Amino acid sequence: CSTKPKTDLLIDLHTTTTNMGTTLIVAAGDPLTTKAAAYVMWKCRHNASNKISILMHTHKNQEQRPHLSSIAPHCFSIEAGPVPQGVLRHDIVENTQEALDATLEFFERYNSHPEQIDQELRDAFPSGLLPCYVSAPSQRQ
């Protein structure tokens, strides 16, 4: 198995039975995906039915992530719920699509004009602080 990843970014889409709305999950310490999450939160701010939350997971490094996202240096998960098992909810699909479209827009724009995106994010979040949750560290014995 090669230690060099064959991809730079992985976007993982999930539904959950948990009532967590649309939640973006990024790795703590990854400025690129943190900027992407801020951009998505900002782009979706006018849709009252799609309140975006951000969760930073605290795995120390990529190798310790127990998720699909561990196969790429940059991971970005969009988790949406609540969705009961075996059910397709159109509102959740639409909210996920809106978040995914904003995510793809961020990376397309960031690849060509990073300084413009950085300025937009400074304007959107003038304090430099991004409202987010942080996962609690696991206790292994």
Side-chain angles (χ1 to χ4, degrees):
C1 182
S2 172
T3 58
K4 184 173 178 174
K6 298 191 186 310
T7 187
D8 294 323
L9 170 72
L10 185 124
I11 301 172
D12 193 9
L13 306 177
H14 286 272
T15 58
T16 179
T17 56
T18 305
N19 188 12
M20 57 192 295
T22 304
T23 302
L24 312 176
I25 304 171
V26 298
D30 184 348
L32 179 64
T33 56
T34 302
K35 287 179 186 182
Y39 185 85
V40 174
M41 179 180 268
W42 177 69
K43 288 293 285 190
C44 297
R45 71 193 182 281
H46 297 298
N47 183 350
S49 70
N50 195 13
K51 181 182 176 298
I52 303 291
S53 298
I54 299 171
L55 172 66
M56 291 192 164
H57 64 73
T58 56
H59 299 293
K60 291 181 184 172
N61 56 46
Q62 180 181 351
E63 293 77 28
Q64 290 185 342
R65 284 186 247 149
H67 309 290
L68 176 64
S69 62
S70 67
I71 65 173
H74 302 286
C75 60
F76 193 92
S77 296
I78 301 172
E79 186 128 0
V83 178
Q85 296 292 331
V87 173
L88 182 63
R89 286 188 47 192
H90 76 89
D91 58 331
I92 300 295
V93 171
E94 289 171 356
N95 289 347
T96 302
Q97 183 69 52
E98 180 182 29
L100 178 60
D101 289 346
T103 303
L104 295 173
E105 178 182 298
F106 168 83
F107 285 107
E108 182 177 337
R109 292 187 62 211
Y110 195 81
N111 280 335
S112 57
H113 299 96
E115 63 287 335
Q116 183 180 3
I117 295 290
D118 286 343
Q119 184 58 52
E120 288 176 15
L121 291 175
R122 281 192 295 275
D123 293 343
F125 300 96
S127 69
L129 300 175
L130 181 62
C132 67
Y133 299 93
V134 177
S135 63
S138 62
Q139 299 294 320
R140 298 190 183 190
Q141 301 193 22

